[in-house]
Amino acid sequence: YVCSTWGNNHFKTFDGDVYQFPGVCEYNFVSDCREAYKEFSVHIQRALDSDGHPDIQYILVKIKDITVYLKPKLIVVDGRIVKTPYYASGVLIESNEIYTKIYAKLGMVLMWNQEDALMVELDNEFNNHTCGLCGDYNGIQIYNEFINGDASYNSITYGNMQKISKPNAKCEDPDETQALPSCNEHRDECQRLLTSSSFADCWLRLNLETYIQACMQDKCACNGEEDSFCLCSTISEYSRQCSHAGGRPGEWRTQNFC
């Protein structure tokens, strides 16, 4: 029931596909896409921070008739800056130093770490009714999202299709013909980090391989720079998803690691 994005432009759909999409426009992350009345929508925009890493700049959430605009340390509801906890017509917003959370009575929970990682959980009454970067939530991987084998239609094509058209937006679509590098030289390190004993309670709950692949892509993109973004964002996501799946990750952060 969870869709997420984190770190170096990784996305995991409700149906479990994991892909990379480096777009810096405003995109439909997940929306109710039934024809008549849309219950909610979540848009996101990323940008590169001063270190050249992609962070989420803002999130725009519409829930029935309420509009919530989130930036780090700032929450605006229907045009007014609000303090948390904030509650109005079926929407509760909480925030602390680390997270901003929105609970919507219609069956959605949104959690943002005010940096790179966003997670949206949806009730299964929205099965088969969503669209956006999170996919259609029909329980079948790839089906209707990525057509495997058709090289001209890949995750970047898919991501570009989710762009919100804004007349004066200055942003380029990522190149659809760019192949992702093979990053196999980092496999051993990523596997070692994600199978450390702190994560023993997670191994059976999550698909380990998808996180190993994401970690390998991170290491590749960082070209050997050992900064915490390259190393820690996918491991943090693995830990969050494990907790969400009912697991109990041990203490994996240390003084000198993440």
Side-chain angles (χ1 to χ4, degrees):
Y1 309 134
V2 177
C3 169
S4 61
T5 182
W6 73 94
N8 188 27
N9 304 303
H10 299 292
F11 290 84
K12 175 178 168 290
T13 69
F14 287 115
D15 297 335
D17 292 305
V18 175
Y19 65 96
Q20 259 185 311
F21 175 65
V24 289
C25 304
E26 182 179 308
Y27 300 96
N28 174 14
F29 183 64
V30 56
S31 299
D32 175 11
C33 287
R34 286 174 282 200
E35 285 305 304
Y37 180 71
K38 298 196 177 351
E39 298 261 318
F40 71 91
S41 66
V42 179
H43 294 176
I44 62 169
Q45 169 134 23
R46 269 200 172 84
L48 298 180
D49 66 15
S50 50
D51 299 322
H53 298 316
D55 262 353
I56 297 173
Q57 278 212 303
Y58 67 79
I59 302 171
L60 185 61
V61 186
K62 286 189 177 152
I63 298 166
K64 305 221 176 196
D65 303 320
I66 296 180
T67 301
V68 183
Y69 177 74
L70 303 177
K71 287 189 83 150
K73 312 281 182 277
L74 177 72
I75 297 165
V76 180
V77 178
D78 291 337
R80 291 196 350 266
I81 295 177
V82 299
K83 288 193 161 32
T84 57
Y86 173 89
Y87 184 78
S89 40
V91 176
L92 170 65
I93 307 174
E94 295 179 344
S95 66
N96 58 26
E97 285 304 295
I98 309 168
Y99 282 103
T100 302
K101 284 187 180 183
I102 299 180
Y103 301 88
K105 209 162 155 186
L106 57 78
M108 179 179 85
V109 180
L110 177 149
M111 187 164 103
W112 178 36
N113 71 348
Q114 299 167 15
E115 291 172 4
D116 65 302
L118 168 66
M119 191 190 281
V120 171
E121 181 182 1
L122 270 190
D123 272 9
N124 53 13
E125 69 183 82
F126 292 105
N127 280 139
N128 228 349
H129 294 320
T130 65
C131 59
L133 294 166
C134 287
D136 58 10
Y137 195 13
N138 67 355
I140 309 168
Q141 284 193 329
I142 296 174
Y143 180 71
N144 285 356
E145 275 115 30
F146 313 116
I147 316 306
N148 252 12
D150 178 354
S152 65
Y153 183 85
N154 57 26
S155 63
I156 301 205
T157 318
Y158 181 72
N160 286 339
M161 286 163 58
Q162 315 306 324
K163 183 160 83 172
I164 305 298
S165 62
K166 297 163 87 181
N168 49 4
K170 306 249 186 303
C171 62
E172 294 287 308
D173 284 346
D175 179 2
E176 299 177 3
T177 57
Q178 230 181 341
L180 285 173
S182 137
C183 302
N184 276 332
E185 68 272 23
H186 299 298
R187 169 173 280 280
D188 291 351
E189 182 186 8
C190 287
Q191 190 155 349
R192 183 174 56 73
L193 291 169
L194 288 160
T195 54
S196 83
S197 57
S198 319
F199 293 125
D201 198 27
C202 306
W203 300 336
L204 294 174
R205 295 172 195 274
L206 300 174
N207 179 344
L208 178 64
E209 179 61 25
T210 54
Y211 296 94
I212 292 175
Q213 290 291 338
C215 167
M216 285 157 57
Q217 294 291 351
D218 292 349
K219 298 286 293 177
C220 256
C222 286
N223 294 327
E225 284 176 49
E226 286 299 316
D227 68 3
S228 67
F229 183 89
C230 310
L231 212 55
C232 305
S233 52
T234 289
I235 298 172
S236 305
E237 175 69 7
Y238 185 67
S239 179
R240 280 189 292 270
Q241 293 281 353
C242 173
S243 305
H244 199 275
R248 296 209 164 167
E251 282 294 327
W252 59 274
R253 295 176 187 274
T254 65
Q255 211 64 48
N256 17 0
F257 182 72
C258 298

